[in-house]
Every structure is written in structure tokens, then in C-alpha cells.
């Protein structure tokens, strides 16, 4: 006799707890201690339990709209204890109980083929609906954590790029200081060689000075520090792996583009190319960036193993099939397409012989700074 009411109380408590977790995920962290928000959720639990215990199953459908309205008001009130925008508060307060309510009665109708259910059938539908809501919350949490891990991985990579750039700058400064310190000795040595008619020796000595200065070479120096750091990191990594690299960078010092977005595009293009050239005897990589009147074009070309190519249709349906060394390759291209879409751009890929080419076109706000070259 008492088992069903107690089970209903526990089920409703579990559902309200899921509401709390969903609000935190969808709106943001707590502004203050979560106790004030918990009070509102406890009120919501009490109202739901009171209505569930006092209303007959046949009347449950009739009171559902009123209960939905009450839940929206209380959830919206609780949302102000979270750090989030107004639109997130409103959408969460409206959609969360709607998802549960619609799902609950859909499940009940699917299970029993009628909305005129008895008490046990209503309880079973409530339990299944709460479980379905819990599964949805688990999926949302996993997606959120996956996204956070991906963003953390990109940030860690960006840190490594900046460290590489700073290392190049430090090495260059050290070389300049060392050369400046010994400049008088170098000038005397060159003067003596020229005075004695040792032209070839003087030229060789100058070449050795140039090689000394080239230690810690900064490959790309467009003036756009963030992009330069990414490109220098990629080029140095490729060269260290024995890959022949060519590049042509013509961009202004300022681009109306998020550094995070540029990192996503360039890093994914490079990782795909870097993985592909590991399987060929003649690894080559070509990087091109050109900015002109608000349009940024990024091209990454690399050798690849055509025998391991995978056939996959592109969204446009016009380009030939592309190759992927792994599932991560395709996932990286999806990330690039997602970012390109933010700038009303697109990603296209082509193959020609033993070369794979990826092109990204982005439409940015036109910079006041003229493009290089």
C-alpha cells in the first residue's frame, strides 16, 4: 500500500536532481552557494509529489499543462542562482520540463496505447520517463566533457606553440648579443682577410657568421604573432621529422578572426597532413595563406599514400574522394568545416596524383592593414 507513494517520491526526487544537473550544464556554474537554488528545487519536488499523490491518473493529463507552467516558473526562478545569460535561463526553464512532459506522455501512450491509464501504469510511465531524462543528462555530460577535453588539448597545443615561438626569439636574441659582443674581433678578422687579398676566406667567414645568426630560425614573420607562432611550431616540427616544407604566407598583422578558431583550422590541417606523410617515401608539405579584401584563403598540400585512400563523398558532391589515415582525420575535417561555417566559408579537398590538398576559404571583415606582398 505504501510502496507506490514512496516509490513515486523517490522517482520525483531523482527527476528534480537531474533538473539541477541539467540547469548547471545548460546555464552555468552557481553564482553563490547552491543552497538557495536547492530550496527552490525542493519546493518543485514538493509540489510535484503533492499533485502526483492527490490527483487521480485520469486527471493527470488535465493537470499536466498547469504543472508544466509551475515548473517553468520555479525553474526560471532557480536559474538566477546560476551564472548564465538570460536566453539560456529562459530556454532551459521552458525546454527542460517540456522534454520531460512530452516524453512522459509519449512513453505512456507507446507502452499502453492509451492515455487513460491506472495508477500503476502512470507510475511506470513516470519511472521510465525519469530514467530516459537521466540517460539524456548523462549523454549531455559526456558531450560537455568531451568538448572540454578537446578545448583543453587545443589550448595545451597553443601553449606549446607559444613556447616554441618564445624559444626562437630567445635564441635569436642570444645570437645577436653574442655576435655584438665579438663584433670588433669579427670586423678585424674580415679587414685582415680583405687586406691580404683573401676574398674566398672572407666570404666563407661571412657565411659562417650568417649560419650562426640563423640558429633558432623564425620561419614565418608576417607580423601576426599568433599565426606566426602556430606556423613556426608546425614548420619546425615537420622539419625535425625530415619533411620537406614550403610555405607562402601573405596575411596582415591583424585578422578579424578568433585565435582559437585559427588554431583549430591550422592545427587540424597540419595534423592530417603530418599523419598522411608518415606513410610515404617522399614526405612533402606546402602551406599557403593569402588574405585579400576580407577573404582569407588557407591551403595545405601534402603527399599521401593513394593506395590507402578512403572513398567519401564531400558535402558539395563536386569534389573527388579524399583520403584519411584514420578516423581522426575525418573528425579533424569536420571541426574545420564547423569553424569555417562561422565565417560563412567552406572547406574543399582534392587529390591529384600523390598530392592531397585541403583549401579553406573564410570571409572576414576587411582589415585596415594591407595584406603582405
Amino acid at each position: 500500500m505504501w510502496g507506490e507513494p514512496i516509490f513515486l517520491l523517490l522517482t520525483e526526487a531523482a527527476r528534480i536532481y537531474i533538473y539541477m544537473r541539467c540547469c548547471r550544464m545548460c546555464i552555468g556554474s552557481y553564482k553563490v552557494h547552491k543552497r538557495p537554488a536547492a530550496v527552490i528545487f525542493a519546493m518543485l519536488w514538493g509540489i510535484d509529489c503533492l499533485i502526483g499523490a492527490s490527483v487521480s491518473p485520469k486527471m493527470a493529463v488535465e493537470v499536466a499543462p498547469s504543472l508544466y507552467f509551475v515548473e517553468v516558473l520555479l525553474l526560471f526562478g532557480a536559474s538566477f542562482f546560476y551564472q548564465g545569460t538570460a536566453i539560456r535561463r529562459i530556454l532551459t526553464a521552458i525546454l527542460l520540463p517540456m522534454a520531460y512532459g512530452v516524453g512522459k506522455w509519449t512513453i505512456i501512450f507507446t507502452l499502453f496505447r492509451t492515455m487513460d491509464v491506472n495508477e500503476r501504469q502512470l507510475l511506470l510511465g513516470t519511472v521510465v520517463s525519469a530514467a530516459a531524462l537521466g540517460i539524456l543528462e548523462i549523454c549531455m555530460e559526456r558531450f560537455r566533457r568531451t568538448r572540454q577535453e578537446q578545448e583543453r588539448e587545443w589550448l595545451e597545443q597553443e601553449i606549446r606553440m607559444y613556447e616554441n615561438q618564445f624559444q626562437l626569439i630567445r635564441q635569436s636574441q642570444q645570437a645577436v648579443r653574442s655576435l655584438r659582443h665579438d663584433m670588433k674581433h669579427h670586423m678585424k678578422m674580415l679587414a685582415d682577410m680583405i687586406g691580404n687579398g683573401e676574398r674566398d676566406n672572407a666570404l666563407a667567414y661571412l657565411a659562417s657568421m650568417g649560419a650562426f645568426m640563423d640558429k633558432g630560425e623564425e620561419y614565418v614573420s608576417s607580423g601576426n604573432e599568433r599565426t606566426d607562432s602556430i606556423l613556426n611550431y608546425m614548420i619546425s616540427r615537420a622539419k625535425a621529422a625530415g619533411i620537406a616544407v614550403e610555405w607562402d604566407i601573405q596575411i596582415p598583422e591583424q585578422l578579424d578572426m578568433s585565435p582559437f578558431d585559427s588554431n583549430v583550422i591550422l592545427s587540424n590541417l597540419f595534423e592530417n597532413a603530418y599523419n598522411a606523410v608518415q606513410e610515404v617515401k617522399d614526405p612533402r608539405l606546402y602551406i599557403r595563406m593569402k588574405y585579400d579584401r576580407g577573404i582569407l584563403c588557407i591551403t595545405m598540400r601534402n603527399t599521401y599514400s593513394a593506395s590507402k585512400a578512403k572513398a567519401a563523398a564531400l558535402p558539395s558532391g563536386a569534389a573527388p574522394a579524399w583520403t584519411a589515415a584514420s578516423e581522426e582525420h575525418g573528425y579533424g575535417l569536420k571541426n574545420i568545416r564547423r569553424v569555417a561555417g562561422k565565417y560563412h566559408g567552406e572547406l574543399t579537398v582534392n587529390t591529384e596524383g600523390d598530392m592531397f590538398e585541403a583549401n579553406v576559404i573564410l570571409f572576414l571583415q576587411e582589415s585596415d592593414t594591407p595584406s603582405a606582398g
Side-chain angles (χ1 to χ4, degrees), residues 248-256 288-298 360-373:
D248 179 17
I249 311 300
Q250 300 179 44
I251 59 174
E253 294 183 2
Q254 299 295 330
L255 285 173
D256 186 32
R288 182 176 184 269
M289 292 183 69
K290 182 175 177 60
Y291 177 88
D292 184 24
R293 289 171 289 188
I295 301 176
L296 177 64
C297 300
I298 305 172
V360 181
I361 297 179
L362 306 174
F363 297 91
L364 313 179
Q365 291 185 8
E366 191 165 353
S367 174
D368 295 333
T369 307
S371 61

PDB file of all heavy atoms in Angstrom, residues 248-256 288-298 360-373:
ATOM      1  N   ASP A 248      54.104  29.892 -48.085  1.00  0.00           N
ATOM      2  CA  ASP A 248      53.893  31.209 -48.689  1.00  0.00           C
ATOM      3  C   ASP A 248      52.803  31.894 -47.868  1.00  0.00           C
ATOM      4  O   ASP A 248      51.622  31.574 -47.994  1.00  0.00           O
ATOM      5  CB  ASP A 248      53.470  31.059 -50.154  1.00  0.00           C
ATOM      6  CG  ASP A 248      53.209  32.419 -50.815  1.00  0.00           C
ATOM      7  OD1 ASP A 248      53.653  33.447 -50.258  1.00  0.00           O
ATOM      8  OD2 ASP A 248      52.546  32.445 -51.874  1.00  0.00           O
ATOM      9  N   ILE A 249      53.196  32.804 -47.016  1.00  0.00           N
ATOM     10  CA  ILE A 249      52.272  33.442 -46.071  1.00  0.00           C
ATOM     11  C   ILE A 249      52.152  34.923 -46.403  1.00  0.00           C
ATOM     12  O   ILE A 249      53.142  35.666 -46.334  1.00  0.00           O
ATOM     13  CB  ILE A 249      52.754  33.268 -44.610  1.00  0.00           C
ATOM     14  CG1 ILE A 249      53.109  31.801 -44.331  1.00  0.00           C
ATOM     15  CG2 ILE A 249      51.703  33.779 -43.648  1.00  0.00           C
ATOM     16  CD1 ILE A 249      51.971  30.832 -44.526  1.00  0.00           C
ATOM     17  N   GLN A 250      50.959  35.340 -46.771  1.00  0.00           N
ATOM     18  CA  GLN A 250      50.690  36.738 -47.096  1.00  0.00           C
ATOM     19  C   GLN A 250      49.427  37.171 -46.345  1.00  0.00           C
ATOM     20  O   GLN A 250      48.320  37.117 -46.882  1.00  0.00           O
ATOM     21  CB  GLN A 250      50.504  36.924 -48.605  1.00  0.00           C
ATOM     22  CG  GLN A 250      51.710  36.507 -49.435  1.00  0.00           C
ATOM     23  CD  GLN A 250      51.467  36.689 -50.919  1.00  0.00           C
ATOM     24  OE1 GLN A 250      50.935  37.712 -51.353  1.00  0.00           O
ATOM     25  NE2 GLN A 250      51.845  35.694 -51.725  1.00  0.00           N
ATOM     26  N   ILE A 251      49.620  37.552 -45.102  1.00  0.00           N
ATOM     27  CA  ILE A 251      48.496  37.971 -44.260  1.00  0.00           C
ATOM     28  C   ILE A 251      48.868  39.259 -43.535  1.00  0.00           C
ATOM     29  O   ILE A 251      50.055  39.536 -43.313  1.00  0.00           O
ATOM     30  CB  ILE A 251      48.114  36.887 -43.233  1.00  0.00           C
ATOM     31  CG1 ILE A 251      49.318  36.550 -42.325  1.00  0.00           C
ATOM     32  CG2 ILE A 251      47.597  35.634 -43.928  1.00  0.00           C
ATOM     33  CD1 ILE A 251      48.977  35.601 -41.199  1.00  0.00           C
ATOM     34  N   PRO A 252      47.871  40.056 -43.147  1.00  0.00           N
ATOM     35  CA  PRO A 252      48.159  41.291 -42.410  1.00  0.00           C
ATOM     36  C   PRO A 252      48.471  41.005 -40.941  1.00  0.00           C
ATOM     37  O   PRO A 252      48.291  39.871 -40.467  1.00  0.00           O
ATOM     38  CB  PRO A 252      46.857  42.089 -42.549  1.00  0.00           C
ATOM     39  CG  PRO A 252      45.806  41.047 -42.692  1.00  0.00           C
ATOM     40  CD  PRO A 252      46.441  39.920 -43.468  1.00  0.00           C
ATOM     41  N   GLU A 253      48.923  42.028 -40.253  1.00  0.00           N
ATOM     42  CA  GLU A 253      49.248  41.860 -38.838  1.00  0.00           C
ATOM     43  C   GLU A 253      48.007  41.609 -37.994  1.00  0.00           C
ATOM     44  O   GLU A 253      48.075  40.987 -36.947  1.00  0.00           O
ATOM     45  CB  GLU A 253      49.984  43.113 -38.314  1.00  0.00           C
ATOM     46  CG  GLU A 253      51.358  43.307 -38.941  1.00  0.00           C
ATOM     47  CD  GLU A 253      52.090  44.499 -38.347  1.00  0.00           C
ATOM     48  OE1 GLU A 253      51.524  45.126 -37.418  1.00  0.00           O
ATOM     49  OE2 GLU A 253      53.197  44.801 -38.808  1.00  0.00           O
ATOM     50  N   GLN A 254      46.861  42.099 -38.454  1.00  0.00           N
ATOM     51  CA  GLN A 254      45.612  41.917 -37.717  1.00  0.00           C
ATOM     52  C   GLN A 254      44.595  41.212 -38.608  1.00  0.00           C
ATOM     53  O   GLN A 254      44.404  41.591 -39.760  1.00  0.00           O
ATOM     54  CB  GLN A 254      45.045  43.276 -37.266  1.00  0.00           C
ATOM     55  CG  GLN A 254      45.948  44.058 -36.334  1.00  0.00           C
ATOM     56  CD  GLN A 254      46.155  43.368 -34.993  1.00  0.00           C
ATOM     57  OE1 GLN A 254      45.270  42.654 -34.522  1.00  0.00           O
ATOM     58  NE2 GLN A 254      47.315  43.571 -34.399  1.00  0.00           N
ATOM     59  N   LEU A 255      43.954  40.170 -38.053  1.00  0.00           N
ATOM     60  CA  LEU A 255      42.876  39.461 -38.741  1.00  0.00           C
ATOM     61  C   LEU A 255      41.653  39.440 -37.833  1.00  0.00           C
ATOM     62  O   LEU A 255      41.787  39.208 -36.627  1.00  0.00           O
ATOM     63  CB  LEU A 255      43.284  38.020 -39.067  1.00  0.00           C
ATOM     64  CG  LEU A 255      44.258  37.801 -40.224  1.00  0.00           C
ATOM     65  CD1 LEU A 255      44.668  36.338 -40.291  1.00  0.00           C
ATOM     66  CD2 LEU A 255      43.642  38.225 -41.543  1.00  0.00           C
ATOM     67  N   ASP A 256      40.501  39.706 -38.422  1.00  0.00           N
ATOM     68  CA  ASP A 256      39.265  39.688 -37.645  1.00  0.00           C
ATOM     69  C   ASP A 256      38.793  38.242 -37.484  1.00  0.00           C
ATOM     70  O   ASP A 256      37.794  37.810 -38.052  1.00  0.00           O
ATOM     71  CB  ASP A 256      38.187  40.525 -38.338  1.00  0.00           C
ATOM     72  CG  ASP A 256      36.934  40.662 -37.491  1.00  0.00           C
ATOM     73  OD1 ASP A 256      37.073  40.679 -36.264  1.00  0.00           O
ATOM     74  OD2 ASP A 256      35.834  40.718 -38.066  1.00  0.00           O
ATOM     75  N   ARG A 288      50.064  27.486 -47.520  1.00  0.00           N
ATOM     76  CA  ARG A 288      49.845  28.792 -48.140  1.00  0.00           C
ATOM     77  C   ARG A 288      48.691  29.496 -47.426  1.00  0.00           C
ATOM     78  O   ARG A 288      47.643  28.908 -47.178  1.00  0.00           O
ATOM     79  CB  ARG A 288      49.516  28.646 -49.624  1.00  0.00           C
ATOM     80  CG  ARG A 288      49.325  29.975 -50.352  1.00  0.00           C
ATOM     81  CD  ARG A 288      49.111  29.729 -51.844  1.00  0.00           C
ATOM     82  NE  ARG A 288      49.006  30.982 -52.592  1.00  0.00           N
ATOM     83  CZ  ARG A 288      47.859  31.607 -52.839  1.00  0.00           C
ATOM     84  NH1 ARG A 288      46.705  31.093 -52.407  1.00  0.00           N
ATOM     85  NH2 ARG A 288      47.837  32.741 -53.524  1.00  0.00           N
ATOM     86  N   MET A 289      48.913  30.770 -47.097  1.00  0.00           N
ATOM     87  CA  MET A 289      47.874  31.626 -46.534  1.00  0.00           C
ATOM     88  C   MET A 289      47.906  32.960 -47.273  1.00  0.00           C
ATOM     89  O   MET A 289      48.964  33.586 -47.364  1.00  0.00           O
ATOM     90  CB  MET A 289      48.076  31.852 -45.034  1.00  0.00           C
ATOM     91  CG  MET A 289      47.875  30.629 -44.165  1.00  0.00           C
ATOM     92  SD  MET A 289      48.053  30.999 -42.402  1.00  0.00           S
ATOM     93  CE  MET A 289      46.581  32.013 -42.127  1.00  0.00           C
ATOM     94  N   LYS A 290      46.762  33.372 -47.780  1.00  0.00           N
ATOM     95  CA  LYS A 290      46.703  34.639 -48.512  1.00  0.00           C
ATOM     96  C   LYS A 290      45.429  35.367 -48.115  1.00  0.00           C
ATOM     97  O   LYS A 290      44.340  34.796 -48.113  1.00  0.00           O
ATOM     98  CB  LYS A 290      46.726  34.412 -50.028  1.00  0.00           C
ATOM     99  CG  LYS A 290      46.724  35.712 -50.832  1.00  0.00           C
ATOM    100  CD  LYS A 290      46.880  35.447 -52.317  1.00  0.00           C
ATOM    101  CE  LYS A 290      46.817  36.736 -53.136  1.00  0.00           C
ATOM    102  NZ  LYS A 290      47.881  37.696 -52.763  1.00  0.00           N
ATOM    103  N   TYR A 291      45.590  36.652 -47.800  1.00  0.00           N
ATOM    104  CA  TYR A 291      44.462  37.492 -47.414  1.00  0.00           C
ATOM    105  C   TYR A 291      44.310  38.609 -48.443  1.00  0.00           C
ATOM    106  O   TYR A 291      45.289  39.259 -48.813  1.00  0.00           O
ATOM    107  CB  TYR A 291      44.698  38.091 -46.025  1.00  0.00           C
ATOM    108  CG  TYR A 291      43.607  39.035 -45.570  1.00  0.00           C
ATOM    109  CD1 TYR A 291      42.491  38.560 -44.897  1.00  0.00           C
ATOM    110  CD2 TYR A 291      43.706  40.405 -45.815  1.00  0.00           C
ATOM    111  CE1 TYR A 291      41.494  39.420 -44.479  1.00  0.00           C
ATOM    112  CE2 TYR A 291      42.706  41.269 -45.401  1.00  0.00           C
ATOM    113  CZ  TYR A 291      41.601  40.779 -44.729  1.00  0.00           C
ATOM    114  OH  TYR A 291      40.611  41.631 -44.326  1.00  0.00           O
ATOM    115  N   ASP A 292      43.074  38.794 -48.903  1.00  0.00           N
ATOM    116  CA  ASP A 292      42.843  39.845 -49.896  1.00  0.00           C
ATOM    117  C   ASP A 292      41.411  40.355 -49.750  1.00  0.00           C
ATOM    118  O   ASP A 292      40.451  39.593 -49.957  1.00  0.00           O
ATOM    119  CB  ASP A 292      43.071  39.312 -51.310  1.00  0.00           C
ATOM    120  CG  ASP A 292      42.942  40.404 -52.373  1.00  0.00           C
ATOM    121  OD1 ASP A 292      43.122  41.592 -52.028  1.00  0.00           O
ATOM    122  OD2 ASP A 292      42.644  40.071 -53.534  1.00  0.00           O
ATOM    123  N   ARG A 293      41.271  41.616 -49.364  1.00  0.00           N
ATOM    124  CA  ARG A 293      39.989  42.300 -49.287  1.00  0.00           C
ATOM    125  C   ARG A 293      38.932  41.508 -48.506  1.00  0.00           C
ATOM    126  O   ARG A 293      37.820  41.284 -48.963  1.00  0.00           O
ATOM    127  CB  ARG A 293      39.476  42.628 -50.682  1.00  0.00           C
ATOM    128  CG  ARG A 293      40.272  43.741 -51.372  1.00  0.00           C
ATOM    129  CD  ARG A 293      39.887  43.891 -52.823  1.00  0.00           C
ATOM    130  NE  ARG A 293      40.358  42.768 -53.620  1.00  0.00           N
ATOM    131  CZ  ARG A 293      40.295  42.722 -54.944  1.00  0.00           C
ATOM    132  NH1 ARG A 293      39.760  43.718 -55.620  1.00  0.00           N
ATOM    133  NH2 ARG A 293      40.740  41.676 -55.600  1.00  0.00           N
ATOM    134  N   GLY A 294      39.311  41.087 -47.327  1.00  0.00           N
ATOM    135  CA  GLY A 294      38.361  40.426 -46.439  1.00  0.00           C
ATOM    136  C   GLY A 294      38.229  38.934 -46.640  1.00  0.00           C
ATOM    137  O   GLY A 294      37.475  38.280 -45.919  1.00  0.00           O
ATOM    138  N   ILE A 295      38.951  38.359 -47.604  1.00  0.00           N
ATOM    139  CA  ILE A 295      38.875  36.926 -47.866  1.00  0.00           C
ATOM    140  C   ILE A 295      40.213  36.283 -47.493  1.00  0.00           C
ATOM    141  O   ILE A 295      41.262  36.701 -47.986  1.00  0.00           O
ATOM    142  CB  ILE A 295      38.542  36.631 -49.336  1.00  0.00           C
ATOM    143  CG1 ILE A 295      37.204  37.270 -49.727  1.00  0.00           C
ATOM    144  CG2 ILE A 295      38.514  35.128 -49.587  1.00  0.00           C
ATOM    145  CD1 ILE A 295      36.856  37.109 -51.184  1.00  0.00           C
ATOM    146  N   LEU A 296      40.157  35.295 -46.624  1.00  0.00           N
ATOM    147  CA  LEU A 296      41.360  34.571 -46.215  1.00  0.00           C
ATOM    148  C   LEU A 296      41.311  33.175 -46.817  1.00  0.00           C
ATOM    149  O   LEU A 296      40.356  32.423 -46.603  1.00  0.00           O
ATOM    150  CB  LEU A 296      41.438  34.473 -44.688  1.00  0.00           C
ATOM    151  CG  LEU A 296      42.618  33.671 -44.131  1.00  0.00           C
ATOM    152  CD1 LEU A 296      43.946  34.334 -44.490  1.00  0.00           C
ATOM    153  CD2 LEU A 296      42.493  33.515 -42.617  1.00  0.00           C
ATOM    154  N   CYS A 297      42.353  32.838 -47.583  1.00  0.00           N
ATOM    155  CA  CYS A 297      42.459  31.523 -48.207  1.00  0.00           C
ATOM    156  C   CYS A 297      43.603  30.758 -47.545  1.00  0.00           C
ATOM    157  O   CYS A 297      44.725  31.274 -47.457  1.00  0.00           O
ATOM    158  CB  CYS A 297      42.711  31.633 -49.702  1.00  0.00           C
ATOM    159  SG  CYS A 297      41.414  32.493 -50.615  1.00  0.00           S
ATOM    160  N   ILE A 298      43.328  29.560 -47.092  1.00  0.00           N
ATOM    161  CA  ILE A 298      44.337  28.706 -46.457  1.00  0.00           C
ATOM    162  C   ILE A 298      44.415  27.408 -47.245  1.00  0.00           C
ATOM    163  O   ILE A 298      43.395  26.754 -47.480  1.00  0.00           O
ATOM    164  CB  ILE A 298      43.973  28.406 -44.989  1.00  0.00           C
ATOM    165  CG1 ILE A 298      43.761  29.704 -44.200  1.00  0.00           C
ATOM    166  CG2 ILE A 298      45.060  27.556 -44.333  1.00  0.00           C
ATOM    167  CD1 ILE A 298      43.221  29.487 -42.801  1.00  0.00           C
ATOM    168  N   VAL A 360      40.708  26.073 -47.445  1.00  0.00           N
ATOM    169  CA  VAL A 360      39.712  26.705 -46.573  1.00  0.00           C
ATOM    170  C   VAL A 360      39.578  28.166 -47.003  1.00  0.00           C
ATOM    171  O   VAL A 360      40.582  28.882 -47.113  1.00  0.00           O
ATOM    172  CB  VAL A 360      40.120  26.632 -45.090  1.00  0.00           C
ATOM    173  CG1 VAL A 360      39.051  27.283 -44.213  1.00  0.00           C
ATOM    174  CG2 VAL A 360      40.339  25.186 -44.666  1.00  0.00           C
ATOM    175  N   ILE A 361      38.354  28.587 -47.238  1.00  0.00           N
ATOM    176  CA  ILE A 361      38.079  29.983 -47.582  1.00  0.00           C
ATOM    177  C   ILE A 361      37.204  30.573 -46.487  1.00  0.00           C
ATOM    178  O   ILE A 361      36.164  30.016 -46.134  1.00  0.00           O
ATOM    179  CB  ILE A 361      37.364  30.098 -48.949  1.00  0.00           C
ATOM    180  CG1 ILE A 361      38.259  29.564 -50.061  1.00  0.00           C
ATOM    181  CG2 ILE A 361      36.990  31.550 -49.233  1.00  0.00           C
ATOM    182  CD1 ILE A 361      37.624  29.619 -51.436  1.00  0.00           C
ATOM    183  N   LEU A 362      37.639  31.696 -45.927  1.00  0.00           N
ATOM    184  CA  LEU A 362      36.916  32.374 -44.855  1.00  0.00           C
ATOM    185  C   LEU A 362      36.622  33.810 -45.284  1.00  0.00           C
ATOM    186  O   LEU A 362      37.472  34.467 -45.889  1.00  0.00           O
ATOM    187  CB  LEU A 362      37.743  32.377 -43.565  1.00  0.00           C
ATOM    188  CG  LEU A 362      38.246  31.020 -43.064  1.00  0.00           C
ATOM    189  CD1 LEU A 362      39.153  31.222 -41.864  1.00  0.00           C
ATOM    190  CD2 LEU A 362      37.082  30.112 -42.699  1.00  0.00           C
ATOM    191  N   PHE A 363      35.448  34.287 -44.947  1.00  0.00           N
ATOM    192  CA  PHE A 363      35.063  35.655 -45.268  1.00  0.00           C
ATOM    193  C   PHE A 363      35.095  36.472 -43.977  1.00  0.00           C
ATOM    194  O   PHE A 363      34.205  36.356 -43.122  1.00  0.00           O
ATOM    195  CB  PHE A 363      33.672  35.684 -45.915  1.00  0.00           C
ATOM    196  CG  PHE A 363      33.628  34.967 -47.224  1.00  0.00           C
ATOM    197  CD1 PHE A 363      33.307  33.618 -47.298  1.00  0.00           C
ATOM    198  CD2 PHE A 363      33.942  35.642 -48.404  1.00  0.00           C
ATOM    199  CE1 PHE A 363      33.274  32.941 -48.512  1.00  0.00           C
ATOM    200  CE2 PHE A 363      33.914  34.972 -49.631  1.00  0.00           C
ATOM    201  CZ  PHE A 363      33.583  33.635 -49.682  1.00  0.00           C
ATOM    202  N   LEU A 364      36.144  37.271 -43.836  1.00  0.00           N
ATOM    203  CA  LEU A 364      36.348  38.090 -42.640  1.00  0.00           C
ATOM    204  C   LEU A 364      36.008  39.533 -42.936  1.00  0.00           C
ATOM    205  O   LEU A 364      35.902  39.957 -44.099  1.00  0.00           O
ATOM    206  CB  LEU A 364      37.812  37.979 -42.183  1.00  0.00           C
ATOM    207  CG  LEU A 364      38.420  36.567 -42.103  1.00  0.00           C
ATOM    208  CD1 LEU A 364      39.864  36.671 -41.672  1.00  0.00           C
ATOM    209  CD2 LEU A 364      37.628  35.687 -41.156  1.00  0.00           C
ATOM    210  N   GLN A 365      35.847  40.305 -41.859  1.00  0.00           N
ATOM    211  CA  GLN A 365      35.698  41.739 -42.047  1.00  0.00           C
ATOM    212  C   GLN A 365      37.021  42.299 -42.546  1.00  0.00           C
ATOM    213  O   GLN A 365      38.085  41.929 -42.040  1.00  0.00           O
ATOM    214  CB  GLN A 365      35.298  42.425 -40.751  1.00  0.00           C
ATOM    215  CG  GLN A 365      33.889  42.078 -40.294  1.00  0.00           C
ATOM    216  CD  GLN A 365      33.478  42.865 -39.082  1.00  0.00           C
ATOM    217  OE1 GLN A 365      34.175  43.781 -38.654  1.00  0.00           O
ATOM    218  NE2 GLN A 365      32.328  42.519 -38.527  1.00  0.00           N
ATOM    219  N   GLU A 366      36.940  43.181 -43.520  1.00  0.00           N
ATOM    220  CA  GLU A 366      38.161  43.658 -44.151  1.00  0.00           C
ATOM    221  C   GLU A 366      39.027  44.416 -43.167  1.00  0.00           C
ATOM    222  O   GLU A 366      38.575  45.299 -42.438  1.00  0.00           O
ATOM    223  CB  GLU A 366      37.838  44.562 -45.343  1.00  0.00           C
ATOM    224  CG  GLU A 366      39.039  44.885 -46.201  1.00  0.00           C
ATOM    225  CD  GLU A 366      38.637  45.461 -47.548  1.00  0.00           C
ATOM    226  OE1 GLU A 366      37.436  45.479 -47.850  1.00  0.00           O
ATOM    227  OE2 GLU A 366      39.532  45.899 -48.265  1.00  0.00           O
ATOM    228  N   SER A 367      40.317  44.037 -43.115  1.00  0.00           N
ATOM    229  CA  SER A 367      41.262  44.675 -42.196  1.00  0.00           C
ATOM    230  C   SER A 367      41.747  46.003 -42.761  1.00  0.00           C
ATOM    231  O   SER A 367      41.862  46.189 -43.960  1.00  0.00           O
ATOM    232  CB  SER A 367      42.445  43.730 -41.955  1.00  0.00           C
ATOM    233  OG  SER A 367      43.431  44.365 -41.191  1.00  0.00           O
ATOM    234  N   ASP A 368      42.048  46.931 -41.840  1.00  0.00           N
ATOM    235  CA  ASP A 368      42.609  48.203 -42.257  1.00  0.00           C
ATOM    236  C   ASP A 368      44.050  48.079 -42.699  1.00  0.00           C
ATOM    237  O   ASP A 368      44.585  48.910 -43.411  1.00  0.00           O
ATOM    238  CB  ASP A 368      42.516  49.234 -41.115  1.00  0.00           C
ATOM    239  CG  ASP A 368      41.073  49.575 -40.779  1.00  0.00           C
ATOM    240  OD1 ASP A 368      40.211  49.450 -41.686  1.00  0.00           O
ATOM    241  OD2 ASP A 368      40.796  49.927 -39.635  1.00  0.00           O
ATOM    242  N   THR A 369      44.695  46.980 -42.218  1.00  0.00           N
ATOM    243  CA  THR A 369      46.097  46.766 -42.553  1.00  0.00           C
ATOM    244  C   THR A 369      46.199  46.054 -43.890  1.00  0.00           C
ATOM    245  O   THR A 369      45.569  45.033 -44.105  1.00  0.00           O
ATOM    246  CB  THR A 369      46.778  45.880 -41.478  1.00  0.00           C
ATOM    247  OG1 THR A 369      46.538  46.486 -40.222  1.00  0.00           O
ATOM    248  CG2 THR A 369      48.263  45.770 -41.735  1.00  0.00           C
ATOM    249  N   PRO A 370      46.964  46.575 -44.842  1.00  0.00           N
ATOM    250  CA  PRO A 370      47.081  45.908 -46.147  1.00  0.00           C
ATOM    251  C   PRO A 370      47.755  44.572 -46.004  1.00  0.00           C
ATOM    252  O   PRO A 370      48.585  44.361 -45.141  1.00  0.00           O
ATOM    253  CB  PRO A 370      47.928  46.890 -46.968  1.00  0.00           C
ATOM    254  CG  PRO A 370      48.691  47.681 -45.968  1.00  0.00           C
ATOM    255  CD  PRO A 370      47.826  47.785 -44.771  1.00  0.00           C
ATOM    256  N   SER A 371      47.371  43.636 -46.877  1.00  0.00           N
ATOM    257  CA  SER A 371      47.966  42.302 -46.845  1.00  0.00           C
ATOM    258  C   SER A 371      49.412  42.359 -47.283  1.00  0.00           C
ATOM    259  O   SER A 371      49.813  43.207 -48.078  1.00  0.00           O
ATOM    260  CB  SER A 371      47.167  41.354 -47.750  1.00  0.00           C
ATOM    261  OG  SER A 371      47.201  41.813 -49.073  1.00  0.00           O
ATOM    262  N   ALA A 372      50.193  41.425 -46.760  1.00  0.00           N
ATOM    263  CA  ALA A 372      51.602  41.364 -47.101  1.00  0.00           C
ATOM    264  C   ALA A 372      51.769  40.929 -48.523  1.00  0.00           C
ATOM    265  O   ALA A 372      51.018  40.143 -49.052  1.00  0.00           O
ATOM    266  CB  ALA A 372      52.332  40.403 -46.158  1.00  0.00           C
ATOM    267  N   GLY A 373      52.808  41.417 -49.163  1.00  0.00           N
ATOM    268  CA  GLY A 373      53.115  41.004 -50.530  1.00  0.00           C
ATOM    269  C   GLY A 373      52.203  41.635 -51.531  1.00  0.00           C
ATOM    270  O   GLY A 373      52.184  41.215 -52.673  1.00  0.00           O
TER     271      GLY A 373
END
